[in-house]
Amino acid sequence: MGSDFYQQSILPYAGIIIKICRAYTHNHADFEDYYQEVCLQIWRSRANFNKQAKWSTWVYKVALNVCLTHLKQHKRGERRFASDALSELEFDEVKAFDSDEINQLYNAIKHLSEIDRAVILLYLEEKSYAEIAEIIGASSNSIGVRVSRIKERINKIIHQMG
């Protein structure tokens, strides 16, 4: 993967990639593996980007698909990851999750279904209901109701954890 491609096409979206990877992993080593696989898959699949959607939407889709695929492989005991270490810049962003409140939120998000995790992460990234629907392959009419239900569930989970 070229440095220019990473700087221009992945780094601006590293925040949401990190959040998605964090929501689907339970330890730092798995997080690093998922993040690297997402970046690698974006680079490998870049020729498949058809420009019908925004680049950011496509990146989110790739990140979700990679995480869901690896989560399923992990559950089946299969693991295939790249082994490069995270750069210093990426590691600094990971450290931002060391706040107790953010960890509590992410722990609650991990209790949601795989799709609900994706919906709330995209909602937290201030994506429109139409963009969320496009990324997860659902109707935009259903996203608003789904977000409300997810928020209620997160509040209950945090209250129970508290």
Side-chain angles (χ1 to χ4, degrees), residues 3-4 8 15 26 29 36 43 59 64 66-67 73-74 79 82 88-89 103-104 111 115 119 121 144 148 157-158:
S3 176
D4 288 344
Q8 294 172 3
H26 297 286
Q36 291 168 12
W43 181 73
V59 167
L64 286 172
V66 168
C67 288
Q73 289 175 341
H74 183 77
R79 297 197 59 166
E88 288 296 320
L89 180 60
N103 281 331
Q104 189 177 30
H111 286 83
I115 295 300
V119 170
L121 291 172
S148 293
I157 292 167
I158 288 174

Side-chain angles (χ1 to χ4, degrees), residues 103-112 154 157-158 161:
N103 281 331
Q104 189 177 30
L105 174 62
Y106 274 89
N107 284 336
I109 289 172
K110 287 178 183 176
H111 286 83
L112 301 173
I154 288 174
I157 292 167
I158 288 174
M161 292 165 62

Side-chain angles (χ1 to χ4, degrees), residues 90-126:
E90 293 159 338
F91 191 72
D92 285 343
E93 291 197 41
V94 173
K95 287 178 183 174
F97 291 106
D98 287 341
S99 142
D100 289 341
E101 291 175 345
I102 293 175
N103 281 331
Q104 189 177 30
L105 174 62
Y106 274 89
N107 284 336
I109 289 172
K110 287 178 183 176
H111 286 83
L112 301 173
S113 72
E114 294 167 0
I115 295 300
D116 285 350
R117 281 185 236 172
V119 170
I120 199 66
L121 291 172
L122 294 168
Y123 175 78
L124 292 172
E125 283 295 309
E126 300 179 353

Side-chain angles (χ1 to χ4, degrees):
M1 177 180 340
S3 176
D4 288 344
F5 179 80
Y6 182 80
Q7 293 290 328
Q8 294 172 3
S9 303
I10 294 178
L11 195 55
Y13 310 100
I16 186 64
I17 295 170
I18 287 169
K19 290 173 186 168
I20 290 170
C21 292
R22 184 167 168 94
Y24 291 98
T25 58
H26 297 286
N27 60 54
H28 192 74
D30 284 347
F31 164 79
E32 288 181 359
D33 289 340
Y34 277 54
Y35 183 85
Q36 291 168 12
E37 285 300 313
V38 167
C39 293
L40 188 61
Q41 192 59 44
I42 290 169
W43 181 73
R44 284 181 178 159
S45 304
R46 66 190 184 283
N48 298 332
F49 175 62
N50 60 16
K51 299 182 181 177
Q52 290 181 349
K54 294 178 189 173
W55 174 258
S56 61
T57 301
W58 186 79
V59 167
Y60 301 145
K61 279 184 180 181
V62 171
L64 286 172
N65 287 337
V66 168
C67 288
L68 293 173
T69 298
H70 285 288
L71 188 65
K72 288 176 187 168
Q73 289 175 341
H74 183 77
K75 287 178 181 175
R76 291 191 308 245
E78 303 168 13
R79 297 197 59 166
R80 286 180 239 142
F81 292 114
S83 59
D84 296 335
L86 289 174
S87 71
E88 288 296 320
L89 180 60
E90 293 159 338
F91 191 72
D92 285 343
E93 291 197 41
V94 173
K95 287 178 183 174
F97 291 106
D98 287 341
S99 142
D100 289 341
E101 291 175 345
I102 293 175
N103 281 331
Q104 189 177 30
L105 174 62
Y106 274 89
N107 284 336
I109 289 172
K110 287 178 183 176
H111 286 83
L112 301 173
S113 72
E114 294 167 0
I115 295 300
D116 285 350
R117 281 185 236 172
V119 170
I120 199 66
L121 291 172
L122 294 168
Y123 175 78
L124 292 172
E125 283 295 309
E126 300 179 353
K127 295 295 169 197
S128 70
Y129 292 162
E131 287 176 292
I132 295 170
E134 183 180 343
I135 291 168
I136 67 165
S139 149
S140 62
N141 293 335
S142 67
I143 296 298
V145 172
R146 195 171 194 156
V147 166
S148 293
R149 291 181 182 157
I150 293 169
K151 286 180 184 177
E152 288 174 17
R153 248 184 284 150
I154 288 174
N155 281 332
K156 285 182 183 176
I157 292 167
I158 288 174
H159 190 72
Q160 290 171 347
M161 292 165 62

